[in-house]
Amino acid sequence: MRVDARGLMFEVRAGGPPDGEAVLLLHGFPQHSGEWDDVVPALHAAGLRTYALDQRGYSPDARPAAVDAYRIPELVADVVAVLDALGLDAVHLVGHDWGAVVAWAVAAAHPERVRTLTAVSVPHPAAMAHALATDTEQKARSSYMALFRKLGTAERVLLAFHAAALCKMLGSVGDASRVARYADPMREPGALTAALNWYRAMSRSDLAGVGPVEVPTTYVWSDRDVAIGRTAAEACAANVTGDYRFVALPGVSHWIPDTAPGPLAEAILARATATA
């Protein structure tokens, strides 16, 4: 379905029982809402209604040109507006990678709209900031962001030779067809620039502006994540004041929704169905 919010048109994949409690799923870079396809069947079977959103820059008709249009407050406002457009007062919120950053920020700023939070791969922004300031390994893991923030250069590097570098980055997501599923849309005019603008718009002040989260929260991390180390993962707990669970998946890469959809669905369901 297409959802009109804030003057932009967002693509949303809806499924599951129409009367089920709502789950909003936010994807990461450089993917799209399809990354949840192997996760949602278990959620539907448990009676939940899912909405997987193609976020700003990924929905073709929600792709503003200005870099500042991709700041975290804008991404948060998109989620709230989409919830309003869908008539959803509150949802179980799930986000992976950049989608997790947005989910943390929505839960912190609008706890009344979030029943529970399941953040996948990327910890609370304050935990990331702590790790970047104190952990040499995390600084090395995050060094790729310097390239991503270079307008034009990043696009040339990632898309050269039929997007070889982009496909290599996605290599552990699955077989060649799954890699192509995510890489091919990024080769459309303007798509990769819009996705990279999330990195270019990122600022310390916006990250620091994400406060503690009071809603019931699960953070799912995998020990073979090349981008997020254990220091950042374990620092996450200090930024949640509500009930908190840390789920570590051994032997799993960064691409948890693609490579470990079963355990991820179990973690989401355990959080969404838990009683306070």
Side-chain angles (χ1 to χ4, degrees), residues 21-85:
E21 289 190 3
V23 180
L24 184 67
L25 300 144
L26 305 177
H27 65 84
F29 174 88
Q31 298 178 279
H32 49 67
S33 58
E35 75 165 278
W36 302 106
D37 284 358
D38 292 339
V39 177
V40 294
L43 306 187
H44 297 163
L48 297 175
R49 175 75 169 172
T50 63
Y51 299 89
L53 171 66
D54 282 337
Q55 298 191 80
R56 175 175 294 233
Y58 294 85
S59 288
D61 293 324
R63 193 172 286 166
V67 170
D68 281 352
Y70 296 85
R71 291 179 57 217
I72 291 174
E74 297 293 338
L75 307 173
V76 169
D78 287 345
V79 170
V80 174
V82 167
L83 293 181
D84 289 343

Side-chain angles (χ1 to χ4, degrees), residues 183-205:
D184 287 351
M186 289 291 99
R187 299 168 69 180
E188 297 173 3
L192 182 57
T193 293
L196 290 169
N197 279 345
W198 288 49
Y199 292 92
R200 294 162 184 159
M202 181 175 59
S203 70
R204 289 184 180 180
S205 61

Side-chain angles (χ1 to χ4, degrees), residues 159-178:
L159 295 179
F161 305 107
H162 305 288
L166 184 63
C167 290
K168 182 178 180 180
M169 186 186 78
L170 286 161
S172 59
V173 80
D175 61 18
S177 64
R178 191 171 288 257

Side-chain angles (χ1 to χ4, degrees), residues 223-235:
D223 66 2
R224 291 191 181 178
D225 191 323
V226 298
I228 307 295
R230 186 171 288 276
T231 296
E234 293 183 348

Side-chain angles (χ1 to χ4, degrees), residues 69-157:
Y70 296 85
R71 291 179 57 217
I72 291 174
E74 297 293 338
L75 307 173
V76 169
D78 287 345
V79 170
V80 174
V82 167
L83 293 181
D84 289 343
L86 291 171
L88 300 173
D89 292 332
V91 295
H92 300 288
L93 187 58
V94 182
H96 172 242
D97 187 77
W98 258 111
V101 176
V102 178
W104 284 115
V106 170
H110 302 279
E112 74 284 357
R113 308 304 298 267
V114 181
R115 293 177 183 270
T116 66
L117 170 65
T118 303
V120 187
S121 297
V122 176
H124 189 285
M128 273 298 294
H130 167 78
L132 287 169
T134 62
D135 183 30
T136 302
E137 180 188 358
Q138 186 57 57
K139 291 179 182 179
R141 287 173 181 265
S142 299
S143 61
Y144 67 92
M145 293 186 189
L147 169 63
F148 285 7
R149 290 169 67 91
K150 294 180 180 178
L151 181 63
T153 301
E155 287 87 339
R156 287 193 296 273
V157 170

